[in-house]
Amino acid sequence: MSFFTSMRMKLPPYFVPCHFLTPQLTTQILNVIDVSFGRRVSLQRYDNVVMTQRDKKIAAVITTRHDPDSHWVFLENFCVLPNYRNQGLGTELLEFTCTELYTDYGGNKVTFALHVDAGINHDRLVNYYCCRGFRKSYTNEKETMLLSED
């Protein structure tokens, strides 16, 4: 495989404001979320979609929503297609998201917030985020909320 072929197959993460999404891109994003979580969402409630592609298709997604009353950015629908898991893709996407959206539109440093639903992978996911600079804000029987370190 040539250098140029491998570059076309592995694109770096990028983000797109939701109001700029094309119908084709929207369909691909919703498919990744559906395959990963088994649920349909509406992208209209989010500000941005951060994604990365492998093999000419979207392989991982994070949707973001900025809370206008605070300096919080909620990271939601963080998912990697099963064939691309455990390859560092999720970590690359999370780091890119936190770097690109480090400040809000007013130039203030943001706090990233995310929820991990209770379930089979709960403890593993909480540990994953804690190893990447998040801390537990609260835990109950339904979820754990994590916040980025200041």
Side-chain angles (χ1 to χ4, degrees):
M1 179 182 312
S2 75
F3 171 77
F4 295 106
T5 304
S6 66
M7 287 304 292
R8 277 185 267 134
M9 294 177 69
K10 182 181 178 184
L11 294 175
Y14 59 97
F15 75 92
V16 177
C18 286
H19 59 276
F20 287 125
L21 291 173
T22 64
Q24 180 183 7
L25 199 52
T26 298
T27 299
Q28 291 179 45
I29 293 164
L30 292 174
N31 181 60
V32 172
I33 295 169
D34 188 36
V35 167
S36 298
F37 295 126
R39 68 176 179 232
R40 300 297 288 178
V41 299
S42 170
L43 294 179
Q44 293 176 344
R45 68 181 294 239
Y46 303 106
D47 298 315
N48 299 296
V49 176
V50 186
M51 64 197 98
T52 193
Q53 294 180 339
R54 295 295 186 269
D55 303 322
K56 299 181 182 179
K57 66 180 178 180
I58 296 173
V61 169
I62 299 176
T63 57
T64 68
R65 181 175 47 86
H66 181 256
D67 178 6
D69 297 326
S70 70
H71 301 296
W72 286 28
V73 172
F74 290 91
L75 305 178
E76 301 180 15
N77 302 306
F78 182 12
C79 49
V80 178
L81 286 175
N83 291 346
Y84 299 97
R85 292 180 184 158
N86 300 313
Q87 298 175 22
L89 197 58
T91 299
E92 179 184 7
L93 193 61
L94 182 63
E95 288 173 359
F96 175 84
T97 302
C98 292
T99 300
E100 287 298 308
L101 301 176
Y102 184 72
T103 58
D104 65 13
Y105 302 112
N108 301 301
K109 183 179 175 204
V110 301
T111 297
F112 294 98
L114 56 90
H115 292 91
V116 177
D117 294 336
I120 297 170
N121 294 318
H122 176 269
D123 292 341
R124 184 178 63 80
L125 290 170
V126 169
N127 287 335
Y128 171 85
Y129 292 118
C130 288
C131 288
R132 281 149 188 88
F134 285 80
R135 63 178 167 72
K136 291 181 188 178
S137 174
Y138 72 82
T139 299
N140 63 31
E141 64 279 352
K142 294 182 181 179
E143 66 186 1
T144 297
M145 181 171 184
L146 296 119
L147 300 174
S148 60
E149 295 288 344
D150 294 333

